Amino acid sequence: MTPSAGRAKLRAMPPAPVPPRVRWWGLEALAESPGHSRGRSRLIVAAMLFVIGLLDYLSGTRVSLDLFYLLPIACSVAWLGWRAGAATAVASIAIRVIGDSATGPYSYPMIAYWNRLIDLSVYLVMTWILHALFTLCRQLDQRVRQRTVALEEA
């Protein structure tokens, strides 16, 4: 087969199908502007903290609901910014400590406070990572819109 025949065969092939767009578990949905006001966003985050804190209190000190506190932190970072996310992280730890203290004194207070400090560190690192991801997602979306407009004009 000659090189020109090979190129002609390649040109005759149909284009490869476009793979479906992969969504990052709601990352893109959170990165978009919410359909409600900042005040309502604060209210939603506070309600989530209250419900998770209440469940954490009811479950006692032996069951950890640390992972669930990441949901209001993620929403806070997405809707209100990284500072609000950091404040939500601190509020999550405060709610956890208050709930644990209400069930009775810690057996080993220093260990409990050390664990809360580690939890806070994880929450703050997650706040930073989520802020970076949301920022990148928004920048990518803006760049795609700009380039789409540029292609339509050309």
Side-chain angles (χ1 to χ4, degrees):
M1 183 182 288
T2 64
S4 61
R7 279 182 281 211
K9 187 177 181 181
L10 283 175
R11 277 188 235 124
M13 293 178 67
V18 177
R21 190 165 182 208
V22 178
R23 296 194 56 95
W24 294 12
W25 292 358
L27 178 67
E28 291 177 5
L30 276 175
E32 295 173 1
S33 296
H36 49 268
S37 67
R38 290 180 64 83
R40 180 172 245 179
S41 295
R42 287 186 189 105
L43 185 65
I44 291 170
V45 168
M48 283 192 281
L49 282 175
F50 176 77
V51 169
I52 295 168
L54 181 64
L55 292 173
D56 197 10
Y57 168 74
L58 294 174
S59 67
T61 58
R62 297 201 183 263
V63 178
S64 175
L65 298 182
D66 284 349
L67 185 64
F68 295 103
Y69 285 103
L70 288 173
L71 180 62
I73 292 170
C75 291
S76 184
V77 171
W79 298 337
L80 303 167
W82 70 268
R83 285 185 178 97
T88 304
V90 171
S92 297
I93 296 300
I95 289 169
R96 180 103 196 258
V97 169
I98 290 168
D100 288 350
S101 298
T103 60
Y106 288 121
S107 302
Y108 301 99
M110 288 306 295
I111 293 173
Y113 292 125
W114 173 257
N115 288 341
R116 296 301 81 78
L117 181 64
I118 297 303
D119 291 342
L120 179 62
S121 301
V122 169
Y123 291 164
L124 292 176
V125 168
M126 286 303 299
T127 299
W128 175 68
I129 290 171
L130 287 170
H131 175 68
L133 280 172
F134 292 140
T135 301
L136 287 173
C137 193
R138 289 175 181 138
Q139 289 173 349
L140 178 64
D141 190 45
Q142 181 181 11
R143 186 172 294 153
V144 166
R145 277 190 257 115
Q146 289 172 347
R147 292 197 176 163
T148 301
V149 168
L151 281 172
E152 289 173 350
E153 291 175 354

